């Protein structure tokens, strides 16, 4: 069975400092992994995805994530936080057929000016 | 290319009523899935439709149902509404085309916010 665990429900950073949002996954095969962002009262938007190509994945708005099979992790990072990054972030794993998606519980990112 | 469109965006119902929500996927997408989002439970999968057939189903009571039409538009229905059904209902579409740049990616609408009084 597939699942993801987001290790922090809330993360607070100062503007201009690095962002780290942690995600561990569980999968019985090589997974497809995604990070989505949700701004208040909006739908979710894809930040980046890993589908067994390069282990370091670059996404939109300066975000990137590294797939580490040995640690079963897919942490999201950004070198310098911007006020507009304040949002809810979801780590997601899909099943083998790509038909069903399993969402983490989300990490709320606060950016302090 | 138009995105995923959900209607209505906001609605208020009372306990015992029923509600129908609509979702128009991105043109060419044949998979539509529905999610319920609440502060306490987070994002929970309701069901997924592909070419008018329910392909996957989450763990929700039978009061929650859905369907998909031949043009891939989808509706979900909740009957006998309960206070706990208050939530943001999100629809997402995806392409079944293998090997494209967006393979496996979900495209979300902005949701329908249901309040049950």
């Amino acid at each position: 069975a597939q699942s993801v665990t987001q290790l922090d429900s809330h993360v607070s950073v100062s503007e201009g400092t690095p962002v780290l949002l942690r995600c561990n996954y569980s999968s019985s095969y090589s997974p497809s992994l995604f990070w989505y962002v949700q701004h208040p009262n909006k739908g979710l938007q894809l930040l980046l995805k890993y589908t067994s190509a390069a282990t370091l994945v670059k996404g939109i708005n300066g975000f990137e994530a590294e797939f580490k099979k040995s640690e079963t992790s897919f942490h999201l990072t950004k070198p310098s936080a911007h006020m507009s990054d304040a949002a809810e972030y979801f780590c997601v794993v899909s099943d083998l057929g790509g038909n069903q998606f399993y969402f983490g519980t989300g990490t709320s990112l606060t950016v302090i000016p | 290319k138009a995105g995923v469109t959900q209607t209505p965006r906001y609605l208020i119902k009372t306990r015992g009523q029923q509600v129908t929500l609509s979702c128009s996927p991105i043109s060419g997408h044949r998979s539509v899935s529905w999610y319920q989002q609440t502060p306490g439970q987070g994002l929970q999968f309701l069901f997924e439709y592909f070419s008018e057939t329910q392909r996957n189903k989450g763990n929700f009571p039978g009061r929650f149902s859905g369907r998909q039409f031949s043009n891939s538009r989808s509706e979900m229905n909740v009957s006998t509404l309960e206070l706990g059904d208050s939530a943001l209902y999100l629809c997402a579409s995806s392409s079944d085309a293998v090997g494209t740049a967006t393979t496996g990616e979900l495209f979300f609408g902005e949701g329908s916010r249901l309040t049950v009084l």
Side-chain angles (χ1 to χ4, degrees):
Chain A
Q2 290 68 247
S3 67
V4 290
T5 301
Q6 293 185 243
L7 300 170
D8 307 293
S9 57
H10 300 278
V11 170
S12 186
V13 301
S14 296
E15 189 176 17
T17 64
V19 176
L20 170 64
L21 305 182
R22 299 182 294 165
C23 172
N24 286 350
Y25 70 90
S26 173
S27 178
S28 51
Y29 48 81
S30 184
S32 291
L33 292 159
F34 308 78
W35 276 98
Y36 282 83
V37 61
Q38 184 181 32
H39 288 93
N41 295 312
K42 296 290 186 182
L44 281 72
Q45 179 187 16
L46 181 71
L47 276 178
L48 49 81
K49 64 180 178 182
Y50 166 78
T51 54
S52 73
T55 56
L56 182 63
V57 183
K58 293 188 183 298
I60 62 172
N61 300 334
F63 285 95
E64 62 181 39
E66 186 171 8
F67 173 74
K68 292 187 176 180
K69 186 175 180 179
S70 60
E71 299 176 11
T72 61
S73 69
F74 190 57
H75 300 335
L76 181 71
T77 60
K78 182 173 180 177
S80 176
H82 191 273
M83 294 300 295
S84 61
D85 295 329
E88 189 87 13
Y89 292 80
F90 294 92
C91 182
V92 184
V93 64
S94 70
D95 67 358
L96 189 60
N99 300 325
Q100 195 160 353
F101 296 78
Y102 302 87
F103 285 75
T105 51
T107 299
S108 177
L109 176 65
T110 298
V111 181
I112 303 166
Chain B
K1 198 174 190 180
V4 178
T5 304
Q6 291 188 246
T7 57
R9 288 292 314 280
Y10 302 90
L11 66 167
I12 300 173
K13 294 285 187 179
T14 56
R15 280 181 297 174
Q17 287 187 311
Q18 74 164 8
V19 66
T20 298
L21 308 178
S22 179
C23 173
S24 293
I26 289 174
S27 177
H29 286 190
R30 292 194 290 167
S31 171
V32 174
S33 50
W34 289 89
Y35 296 83
Q36 182 196 63
Q37 186 176 29
T38 60
Q41 300 295 321
L43 265 163
Q44 293 187 283
F45 172 73
L46 282 156
F47 27 66
E48 186 246 352
Y49 287 87
F50 180 83
S51 292
E52 302 180 66
T53 300
Q54 187 180 86
R55 193 160 57 174
N56 293 293
K57 188 178 189 303
N59 190 26
F60 276 80
R63 300 186 297 108
F64 292 81
S65 63
R67 59 177 175 169
Q68 186 180 32
F69 302 95
S70 58
N71 62 358
S72 293
R73 190 178 71 84
S74 177
E75 288 182 347
M76 68 162 282
N77 183 277
V78 188
S79 63
T80 320
L81 284 166
E82 301 176 0
L83 295 179
D85 297 333
S86 294
L88 180 66
Y89 290 88
L90 291 165
C91 166
S93 73
S94 64
S95 169
D96 63 321
V98 176
T100 69
T102 58
T103 298
E105 179 181 340
L106 288 173
F107 292 82
F108 284 85
E110 295 204 324
S112 293
R113 183 166 295 281
L114 170 66
T115 301
V116 182
L117 302 175

